[in-house]
């Protein structure tokens, strides 16, 4: 029989590709029952089939107790909790750790002089072996050491954590290795950019308690080898470093000179970091006759790179408190006669461009470096208003126009206009939107004004002709315009178009003025709407007449009045008709004269 370490021979088989097919020889090397001398009619290769063996690893806790008892390894495959190899042991899994009073568990090891650790002191699988190192059942012995405790070092996010642990052998001393063969003389220090290492401490919750190692990595005086009686995590304590930032005004003068950064905390006026610099604080701005100060910049290989202090002397927006990891010098950036023209949009919904720049005697530009020639700004937008341009101001009064309503420079504005940074203010005027009313059918509709600003209250006056009545009101634009029962609405931010429909009264015997849907009571003045035309009124009446399809059916089909039981007095009816007709003509004439006057 063939032999292969770690595997069990299952027999010889034929193969098709990588697949075993028919077994010819059994695991004992003999022919499988039924194989005869007519099986083959050509030379044939038979292939051995192997199965990885499963070995039992007994965990000997002596003289301790409480371990897991045993585990299993499938040769070349993995460790398992069970002999059937259905429940694998992950490298993050923790086996039961045995205990032995007065001793420290150091893991399970193979036996003999060349023994190696299989299970670590934490109960996890070790790393110093392969899955092919086990070729038989074996016993792993627990390793015990008299009072040896691991002091794990948590560097609290250091880029270079330095030494990760050291060990206390109780009553004996401290050591670098768990075997306690190398006496402790100080750790390799951790390193964290921007911070100064203060030492390693014990902790309770988030509070540092007792210091164990000094800032130089050595034991604090008074710490002895009876300090710990269990494994313990020690935590690095850090203090943010303070870096000096020197401001080089050259060739200008008059700047603040320097300020300070406490790493990750903030910027300060003083080296003790008692007086913080707020985002709105402005440092002293240096001066340089004939030149414009553009801020302080970092310098790399003689070139200006990142802006730290802007041209107003304030910290650059979004500047990180992790800017410096050493003392640095910032250099002032100067440009000849470059002035910022800041644009105040004066309450715009969309602010548009925020600034442009004048390079004196040269021209106007979009950027402070003066590389993009100015043509026009991105315009601001304010609902209900028309933009008239940007102006200078004296007090609350607009003074000189600098930019036109299309964002271009006003005529005669030259690059000698400004000799300092200047704020320009947007000027707005109310926008008048058009009102269009279409009368469809036999009747007329009047509106108290042809155009209005957003927020004005607008009222319609609706006059059907004889034997006609109002059918419905339809809002064409905007569709969601709300018209109340008095035929009034609040002017939106946009043109308005309304259709007013009239229809013929089904019974000619009923005067439209008597139709209850129009106010009735035979009163001509009730039929003509003389609503309140105050501007900027808010209509809070929820009883508006609009329906979901933006039209309102105001017709009243009850135009047939019941006749009195005693018959009709014809002369009385004629007199009433004459009076009503004359009254209607008078009121209509007065309204038309008023409307014509308003239009004029």
């Amino acid at each position: 029989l063939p032999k292969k370490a770690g595997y069990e021979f299952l027999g010889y088989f034929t193969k098709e590709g990588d697949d075993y097919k028919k077994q010819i020889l059994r695991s004992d090397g003999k022919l499988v029952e039924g194989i005869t001398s007519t099986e083959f009619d050509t030379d044939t290769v038979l292939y051995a089939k192997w199965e990885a063996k499963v070995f039992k690893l007994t965990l000997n806790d002596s003289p301790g107790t409480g371990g897991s008892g045993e585990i299993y390894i499938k040769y070349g495959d993995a460790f398992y909790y069970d002999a059937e190899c259905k429940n694998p042991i992950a490298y993050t899994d923790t086996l039961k750790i045995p205990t032995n009073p007065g001793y420290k568990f150091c893991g399970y090891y193979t036996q003999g002089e060349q023994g190696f650790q299989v299970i670590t002191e934490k109960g996890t699988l070790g790393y110093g072996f392969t899955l092919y190192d086990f070729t038989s059942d074996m016993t792993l012995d627990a390793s015990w050491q008299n009072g040896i405790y691991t002091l794990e070092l948590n560097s609290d996010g250091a880029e270079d954590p330095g030494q990760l642990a050291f060990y206390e052998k109780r009553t004996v001393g401290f050591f670098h290795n768990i075997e306690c063969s190398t006496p402790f003389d100080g750790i390799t220090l951790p390193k964290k950019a921007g911070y100064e290492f203060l030492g390693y401490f014990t902790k309770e919750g988030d509070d540092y308690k007792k210091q164990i190692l000094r800032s130089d990595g050595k034991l604090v005086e008074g710490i002895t080898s009876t300090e710990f009686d269990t494994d313990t995590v020690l935590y690095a304590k850090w203090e943010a470093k303070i870096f000096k930032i020197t401001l080089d005004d050259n060739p200008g003068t008059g700047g603040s000179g320097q300020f300070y950064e406490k790493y990750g905390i903030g910027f300060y006026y003083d080296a003790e970091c008692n007086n913080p610099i707020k985002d709105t604080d402005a440092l002293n701005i240096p001066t340089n006759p004939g030149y414009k100060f553009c801020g302080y910049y970092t310098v790399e290989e003689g070139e200006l790179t990142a802006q730290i202090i802007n041209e107003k002397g304030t910290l650059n927006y979004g500047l990180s408190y992790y800017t410096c990891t050493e003392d640095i010098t910032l250099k002032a950036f100067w440009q000849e006669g470059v002035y910022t023209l800041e644009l105040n949009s004066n309450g715009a919904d969309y602010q548009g461009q925020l600034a442009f720049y004048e390079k004196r005697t040269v021209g106007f530009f979009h950027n402070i470096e003066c590389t993009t020639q100015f043509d026009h700004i991105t315009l601001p937008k304010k609902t209900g208003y028309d933009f008239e341009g940007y102006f200078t101001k004296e007090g609350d009064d607009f003074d000189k126009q600098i930019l036109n309503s299309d964002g271009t420079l006003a005529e005669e504005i030259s690059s000698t206009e400004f000799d300092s940074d200047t704020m320009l203010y947007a000027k707005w005027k109310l926008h008048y939107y058009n009102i269009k009313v279409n009368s469809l059918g036999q009747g007329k509709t009047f509106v108290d004004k042809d155009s209005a600003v957003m927020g004005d209250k607008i009222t319609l006056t609706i006059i059907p002709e004889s034997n006609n009545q109002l059918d419905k009101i339809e809002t064409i634009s905007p569709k969601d315009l709300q018209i109340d029962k008095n035929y009034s609405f609040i002017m939106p931010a946009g043109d308005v178009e309304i259709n007013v429909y009239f229809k013929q009264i089904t019974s000619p015997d009923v005067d439209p003025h008597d139709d209850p849907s129009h106010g009735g009571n035979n009163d001509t003045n009730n039929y003509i709407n003389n609503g309140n035309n105050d501007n900027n009124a808010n209509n809070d009446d929820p009883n508006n007449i609009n329906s979901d399809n933006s039209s309102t059916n105001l017709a009243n089909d009850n135009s047939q009045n019941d006749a009195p039981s005693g018959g009709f007095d014809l002369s009385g009816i004629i007199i009433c008709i004459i009076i009503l007709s004359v009254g209607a003509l008078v009121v209509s004439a007065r309204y038309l004269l008023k409307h014509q006057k308003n239009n004029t």
Side-chain angles (χ1 to χ4, degrees):
L1 297 180
K3 294 180 181 179
K4 191 176 181 181
Y7 292 91
E8 182 180 355
F9 174 64
L10 301 181
Y12 275 103
F13 292 72
T14 60
K15 253 189 176 184
E16 286 186 9
D18 292 334
D19 299 326
Y20 290 97
K21 289 298 182 181
K22 189 170 184 178
Q23 185 172 8
I24 304 302
L25 296 179
R26 300 185 314 223
S27 59
D28 59 1
K30 299 184 183 297
L31 284 166
V32 172
E33 187 175 356
I35 298 298
T36 69
S37 58
T38 61
E39 183 70 31
F40 303 99
D41 56 6
T42 183
D43 294 342
T44 302
V45 177
L46 303 180
Y47 296 87
K49 188 174 183 181
W50 303 92
E51 183 177 59
K53 290 182 178 180
V54 177
F55 302 112
K56 179 179 179 181
L57 304 180
T58 301
L59 304 179
N60 176 24
D61 301 337
S62 181
T65 57
S68 294
E70 71 275 327
I71 57 174
Y72 299 85
I73 182 170
K74 190 172 184 179
Y75 186 78
D77 178 26
F79 289 92
Y80 292 85
Y81 289 100
D82 58 315
E84 295 75 19
C85 297
K86 295 180 179 180
N87 190 8
I89 301 173
Y91 276 87
T92 55
D93 288 356
T94 301
L95 302 178
K96 293 180 182 179
I97 296 176
T99 58
N100 183 14
Y103 288 83
K104 167 73 175 176
F105 174 69
C106 300
Y108 289 106
Y109 287 74
T110 58
Q111 296 175 339
E113 293 182 359
Q114 302 299 320
F116 53 85
Q117 187 187 59
V118 180
I119 306 297
T120 69
E121 64 273 13
K122 295 181 179 180
T124 58
L125 293 170
Y127 290 92
F129 55 85
T130 72
L131 296 172
Y132 299 96
D133 289 340
F134 305 88
T135 57
S136 64
D137 294 343
M138 66 174 59
T139 297
L140 304 180
D141 292 331
S143 174
W144 301 97
Q145 287 185 332
N146 186 18
I148 297 177
Y149 302 107
T150 300
L151 305 177
E152 185 178 345
L153 301 176
N154 183 327
S155 64
D156 191 22
E159 293 88 349
D160 179 1
Q163 193 162 322
L164 301 178
F166 66 106
Y167 303 88
E168 176 204 73
K169 187 170 184 179
R170 194 165 175 84
T171 74
V172 176
F174 293 93
F175 297 86
H176 283 286
N177 58 336
I178 197 170
E179 295 81 12
C180 296
S181 58
T182 305
F184 180 81
D185 57 358
I187 62 166
T188 304
L189 297 179
K191 295 178 183 179
K192 190 175 183 180
Y195 293 90
E196 182 179 355
F197 175 64
L198 300 182
Y200 273 103
F201 292 71
T202 60
K203 255 189 175 184
E204 285 186 11
D206 293 333
D207 299 326
Y208 291 95
K209 290 297 181 181
K210 189 171 184 177
Q211 185 170 9
I212 304 301
L213 297 181
R214 303 184 315 223
S215 59
D216 61 0
K218 299 185 182 300
L219 286 166
V220 170
E221 188 177 356
I223 298 297
T224 70
S225 58
T226 60
E227 183 70 33
F228 302 97
D229 56 7
T230 183
D231 293 341
T232 303
V233 177
L234 303 179
Y235 297 86
K237 188 174 182 180
W238 301 92
E239 183 175 62
K241 290 183 178 179
I242 297 172
F243 301 105
K244 181 179 180 181
I245 302 174
T246 300
L247 302 177
D248 179 7
D249 300 337
N250 188 46
T253 57
S256 293
Q258 70 278 322
F259 65 104
Y260 300 85
E261 178 197 42
K262 191 169 185 179
Y263 190 80
I265 305 298
F267 296 96
Y268 297 83
Y269 290 100
D270 58 315
E272 295 75 22
C273 296
N274 294 323
N275 190 9
I277 300 175
K278 300 175 183 177
D279 292 339
T280 55
D281 287 357
L283 301 178
N284 294 335
I285 296 176
T287 57
N288 184 15
Y291 287 84
K292 166 73 174 177
F293 173 68
C294 300
Y296 287 106
Y297 286 71
T298 56
V299 181
E300 291 183 8
E301 298 180 357
E303 298 292 331
L304 300 180
T305 52
Q307 186 188 62
I308 305 301
I309 305 297
N310 62 33
E311 63 274 14
K312 296 180 180 180
T314 60
L315 294 168
N316 203 6
Y317 179 76
L319 185 64
S320 170
Y321 295 149
Y322 299 92
T323 299
C324 303
T325 56
E326 61 183 356
D327 293 343
I328 63 170
T329 296
L330 303 181
K331 186 171 179 60
F333 175 38
W334 301 96
Q335 283 189 334
E336 185 174 2
V338 177
Y339 303 109
T340 300
L341 306 177
E342 188 174 350
L343 301 176
N344 184 325
S345 64
N346 197 14
D349 305 321
Y350 170 67
Q351 193 166 351
Q353 192 161 325
L354 301 178
F356 66 106
Y357 304 87
E358 177 203 73
K359 188 170 185 179
R360 193 164 175 83
T361 74
V362 177
F364 293 92
F365 297 86
H366 283 286
N367 58 335
I368 196 170
E369 295 81 10
C370 297
T371 57
T372 305
Q373 195 79 31
F374 179 85
D375 48 4
H376 62 84
I377 63 166
T378 305
L379 296 179
K381 296 177 183 178
K382 189 174 184 179
T383 303
Y385 291 85
D386 292 326
F387 174 65
E388 293 192 287
Y390 273 104
F391 293 72
T392 58
K393 258 189 175 185
E394 287 189 7
D396 292 332
D397 299 325
F398 289 98
D399 188 21
K400 187 173 185 179
Q401 184 166 11
I402 305 302
L403 296 181
N404 298 317
S405 59
D406 61 359
T408 60
L409 284 167
E411 191 174 357
E412 298 182 356
I413 297 299
S414 71
S415 57
T416 60
E417 184 71 32
F418 303 97
D419 56 7
S420 65
D421 293 341
T422 303
M423 178 79 74
L424 304 180
Y425 297 86
K427 188 176 181 181
W428 302 93
K429 69 175 180 179
L430 288 168
H431 182 88
Y432 279 79
Y433 300 99
N434 295 322
I435 303 170
K436 182 180 180 183
V437 179
N438 306 309
S439 296
L440 304 176
Q442 301 300 312
K444 296 182 179 179
T445 306
F446 301 97
V447 62
D448 51 1
K449 55 182 72 176
D450 294 329
S451 63
V453 300
M454 180 181 68
D456 278 1
K457 183 175 181 180
I458 309 300
T459 301
L460 305 178
T461 300
I462 300 171
I463 304 176
E465 293 185 3
S466 179
N467 293 327
N468 283 269
Q469 64 182 10
L470 177 62
D471 180 14
K472 64 178 180 179
I473 298 175
E474 180 182 25
T475 58
I476 304 302
S477 174
K479 286 290 187 183
D480 59 351
L481 182 68
Q482 299 294 309
I483 303 177
D484 66 21
K485 64 184 180 181
N486 295 318
Y487 309 142
S488 297
F489 62 89
I490 302 301
M491 191 69 188
D495 293 341
V496 170
E497 184 175 0
I498 299 172
N499 285 345
V500 179
Y501 295 86
F502 299 91
K503 72 176 182 178
Q504 193 170 19
I505 298 174
T506 56
S507 174
D509 295 334
V510 179
D511 193 301
H513 304 90
D514 294 330
D515 186 343
S517 67
H518 303 292
N521 298 327
N522 291 325
D523 189 330
T524 302
N525 288 328
N526 282 343
Y527 197 70
I528 300 176
N529 192 339
N530 292 318
N532 183 2
N533 295 331
D534 292 340
N535 288 346
N536 300 315
N538 290 323
N539 177 25
D540 295 325
D541 188 347
N543 300 314
N544 63 76
I545 63 173
N546 286 75
S547 61
D548 289 340
N549 62 0
S550 300
S551 65
T552 304
N553 192 337
L554 301 175
N556 189 334
D557 292 334
N558 298 323
S559 59
Q560 182 70 38
N561 291 331
D562 293 336
S565 60
F568 292 92
D569 184 351
L570 186 59
S571 62
I573 293 175
I574 292 173
I575 291 171
C576 288
I577 291 174
I578 291 172
I579 292 172
L580 291 172
S581 299
V582 171
L585 288 172
V586 171
V587 173
S588 298
R590 290 178 64 188
Y591 178 82
L592 290 173
L593 286 172
K594 180 183 177 182
H595 183 69
Q596 183 177 8
K597 183 179 180 180
N598 287 339
N599 287 342
T600 301

